Amino acid sequence: SQELEQSPQSLIVQEGKNLTINCTSSKTLYGLYWYKQKYGEGLIFLMMLQKGGEEKSHEKITAKLDEKKQQSSLHITASQPSHAGIYLCGADSPQSGGGADGLTFGKGTHLIIQP
Amino acid sequence: KAGVTQTPRYLIKTRGQQVTLSCSPISGHRSVSWYQQTPGQGLQFLFEYFSETQRNKGNFPGRFSGRQFSNSRSEMNVSTLELGDSALYLCASSLVGGRNYGYTFGSGTRLTVV
């Protein structure tokens, strides 16, 4: 089965600084999602990456899927208190069968922004 | 458009009881998936429904079941509750489900078993 490892597990960053979160897969990635979660709440969709080398940006957040499609990174520029939360990467099943086989998620990265 | 609605938000049940959680997907979405989130195991896939049929199932015991109605709303049921069933249960709505179609999550139902 596919496994996703996120690093770091937790991160404390001073407000205004840049940061990067990584997501490494044990298998080739077919559809990689980044979500943000406030403690005890639902997941907020950030971005979906599908092709090797793809890069997407939204406001100050940029996500990339590497060429070999086994790793993705999430980069936040000039961090703000609103960026605090848990960042989760999720991957589509490597099987191409019909239906949602269920996303496999990493354990998450806890991000704290210090003022 | 309205997002994914899960009810109730919080629930406290006694061991041995059963519970039913509800999920209303985004209008037009026909796929609903359910996930369990715990501190130890993280997010784990329970099952997925499309057009009132269960298409896929994760590795959970038969005490966990679900169904989907003709309006795409879904319910999941957990019978004979155990302490270890305490978790945040999240549902995800997708247009048709499957790779690269994208999933929108609800706010979750926090279940506490005492």
Side-chain angles (χ1 to χ4, degrees):
Chain A
S1 61
Q2 185 173 33
E3 293 184 357
L4 296 180
E5 184 172 335
Q6 286 187 238
S7 62
Q9 290 185 345
S10 62
L11 194 53
I12 302 174
V13 173
Q14 194 170 19
E15 184 177 351
K17 298 294 186 182
N18 302 336
L19 64 105
T20 299
I21 298 169
N22 293 304
C23 176
T24 302
S25 174
S26 59
K27 297 184 179 182
T28 299
L29 289 165
Y30 296 97
L32 187 285
Y33 303 82
W34 283 101
Y35 289 92
K36 178 185 173 185
Q37 185 180 31
K38 292 287 190 181
Y39 178 75
E41 299 182 7
L43 275 61
I44 300 168
F45 173 78
L46 295 175
M47 271 169 276
M48 178 175 75
L49 304 167
Q50 298 169 253
K51 301 174 184 177
E54 187 173 15
E55 180 175 319
K56 289 186 176 179
S57 293
H58 177 67
E59 296 181 344
K60 296 185 178 181
I61 301 175
T62 300
K64 301 178 185 179
L65 183 59
D66 80 356
E67 291 287 345
K68 296 182 180 178
K69 296 178 69 178
Q70 285 199 256
Q71 186 176 56
S72 177
S73 62
L74 185 82
H75 184 77
I76 298 176
T77 304
S79 58
Q80 301 170 346
S82 62
H83 289 132
I86 302 168
Y87 289 80
L88 292 150
C89 63
D92 270 320
S93 167
Q95 305 301 321
S96 60
D101 295 329
L103 296 177
T104 297
F105 283 93
K107 294 292 188 184
T109 294
H110 294 242
L111 174 61
I112 297 172
I113 307 296
Q114 278 187 336
Chain B
K1 57 183 176 181
V4 180
T5 303
Q6 288 190 248
T7 56
R9 283 299 309 275
Y10 303 94
L11 209 48
I12 299 176
K13 288 288 187 179
T14 303
R15 193 170 46 182
Q17 288 186 311
Q18 73 166 15
V19 67
T20 299
L21 313 181
S22 178
C23 173
S24 293
I26 291 171
S27 178
H29 283 196
R30 297 166 63 190
S31 166
V32 174
S33 303
W34 288 89
Y35 291 81
Q36 181 196 66
Q37 186 178 34
T38 59
Q41 299 298 318
L43 269 161
Q44 293 183 289
F45 172 71
L46 281 157
F47 31 65
E48 184 249 1
Y49 284 86
F50 178 81
S51 292
E52 303 178 62
T53 301
Q54 185 183 89
R55 289 197 296 194
N56 292 288
K57 192 175 192 304
N59 189 26
F60 277 82
R63 299 186 297 106
F64 292 82
S65 63
R67 59 177 175 169
Q68 187 180 34
F69 302 95
S70 58
N71 62 357
S72 294
R73 188 177 72 86
S74 176
E75 291 181 345
M76 70 162 279
N77 184 275
V78 187
S79 62
T80 319
L81 284 166
E82 300 177 359
L83 296 178
D85 297 332
S86 295
L88 180 66
Y89 289 89
L90 294 161
C91 78
S93 166
S94 177
L95 191 61
V96 294
R99 187 182 297 175
N100 296 328
Y101 273 96
Y103 304 91
T104 303
F105 282 79
S107 297
T109 294
R110 168 73 62 183
L111 171 65
T112 301
V113 182
V114 297

